[in-house]
Amino acid sequence: MGETAEFVARAAGSQFNSGRVELRRVPYVGDKQQICDIVEEARGFKAVIAYTIVIPELKEELLRLTETYKIPTVDILGPMVEAVAEVTGTEPKLEAGLLRKLDEQYFRKVEAIEFAVKYDDGKDPRGLDYADVVLVGVSRTSKTPVSMYLAHKRIKAANIPLVPEVAAPEELFDITSKKIFGLTISPQLLNEIRQERLKTLGLTANADYANLERILKELDYAERIMKRIGCPIIDVTNKAVEETASTILELYYKGERYV
């Protein structure tokens, strides 16, 4: 919240042409000793202390000291918090740094979304080492949508397609199996999904991609890779993306956190 007080102070200072207004910003004030140090420094100048402190004991200490030394103060956040409390009929949390925490969560989400896009569909296996979660499975097992859903939960997810003709990247066997999750599906449903996919692309549904025998071969290959890795295998048959992601999150948070 130090930025808030600084912005308001600069705006106020810009209204005065008779002299230069100097600003001294002290962020993350967390104890009474810091309050004492700030007030002691302010005593040496013609100072106004503008603050956004919400923790009651720190605010009380600041007001006690500034009253003792006759230093003007401006509570930038307090009146707004009190007005919102009155209108909503609820009590404020009075916790420091809540906005900063929200900002950090937002930027972690953006970073996770960018990560999911960059390392989607095996684009760059080097990203597996930096992922929180790695999804593996054959085509059309919801790897990409699940990755994006996890990203909105601030989880960096990469995904790797498993295709019999293409060797799985070596990086997949170098990372811990605890962050790898295999996705599988019933052959019949996958056959239907792939046929519909071909239709949307304007291709014939008889292509090898949607051939049941081919699908069985792919699923068998994928299962062998997953068993070699030793990762959990989640059946996504008739599961919504949210259900699959929730299962992964549950397993993820039960296990160790990875670096």
Side-chain angles (χ1 to χ4, degrees):
M1 273 296 184
E3 299 95 335
T4 306
E6 180 181 0
F7 181 81
V8 173
R10 287 191 183 280
S14 69
Q15 299 297 315
F16 298 89
N17 298 320
S18 58
R20 191 160 57 96
V21 177
E22 294 186 9
L23 295 178
R24 164 85 159 87
R25 180 181 163 196
V26 186
Y28 311 130
V29 176
D31 57 58
K32 291 184 178 180
Q33 184 57 52
Q34 282 182 286
I35 297 289
C36 292
D37 294 341
I38 292 165
V39 173
E40 187 61 33
E41 183 179 353
R43 287 180 63 195
F45 303 90
K46 289 182 178 179
V48 175
I49 297 179
Y51 64 92
T52 56
I53 295 172
V54 294
I55 299 175
E57 55 268 28
L58 296 184
K59 184 175 178 178
E60 289 170 9
E61 181 68 3
L62 175 64
L63 294 178
R64 184 184 70 80
L65 291 173
T66 52
E67 185 177 350
T68 299
Y69 297 114
K70 309 300 181 188
I71 300 172
T73 62
V74 179
D75 183 354
I76 297 208
L77 194 59
M80 189 64 185
V81 171
E82 291 170 6
V84 172
E86 183 177 348
V87 169
T88 62
T90 58
E91 291 298 317
K93 295 179 179 179
L94 300 179
E95 295 178 28
L98 291 180
L99 182 59
R100 187 169 64 252
K101 291 176 183 176
L102 289 174
D103 286 343
E104 288 172 357
Q105 289 178 357
Y106 171 76
F107 287 117
R108 280 201 297 270
K109 180 191 291 187
V110 171
E111 185 180 9
I113 292 171
E114 290 175 346
F115 186 94
V117 172
K118 183 175 182 179
Y119 297 109
D120 180 44
D121 204 33
K123 289 176 184 174
D124 186 353
R126 292 173 298 180
L128 301 186
D129 195 42
Y130 305 102
D132 297 316
V133 164
V134 176
L135 306 179
V136 296
V138 302
S139 173
R140 314 312 294 176
T141 49
S142 302
K143 295 186 301 299
T144 296
V146 171
S147 294
M148 293 305 298
Y149 187 93
L150 291 172
H152 280 82
K153 299 294 184 180
R154 300 180 296 281
I155 299 293
K156 293 180 181 177
N159 70 80
I160 299 290
L162 298 179
V163 185
E165 293 79 14
V166 180
E170 285 302 316
E171 291 88 346
L172 190 60
F173 305 101
D174 292 336
I175 60 176
T176 175
S177 62
K178 292 179 180 178
K179 67 176 178 180
I180 303 175
F181 296 88
L183 303 183
T184 190
I185 191 171
S186 79
Q188 293 75 20
L189 179 59
L190 184 56
N191 176 252
E192 294 174 15
I193 291 172
R194 288 189 174 184
Q195 285 184 0
E196 288 301 317
R197 175 63 174 164
L198 289 172
K199 288 178 184 177
T200 61
L201 295 174
L203 302 173
T204 172
N206 296 323
D208 192 42
Y209 177 71
N211 180 276
L212 187 57
E213 188 174 327
R214 164 69 187 186
I215 287 172
L216 289 169
K217 179 182 176 182
E218 285 187 38
L219 290 172
D220 180 65
Y221 169 77
E223 185 176 356
R224 281 188 277 118
I225 292 291
M226 294 171 194
K227 287 182 177 178
R228 176 183 166 188
I229 294 169
C231 65
I233 301 175
I234 301 169
D235 190 342
V236 302
T237 304
N238 297 323
K239 274 194 175 76
V241 168
E242 295 83 356
E243 290 181 83
T244 303
S246 294
T247 300
I248 291 169
L249 286 171
E250 184 179 354
L251 294 170
Y252 171 74
Y253 285 116
K254 278 184 179 178
E256 298 177 5
R257 301 305 294 267
Y258 332 103
V259 178

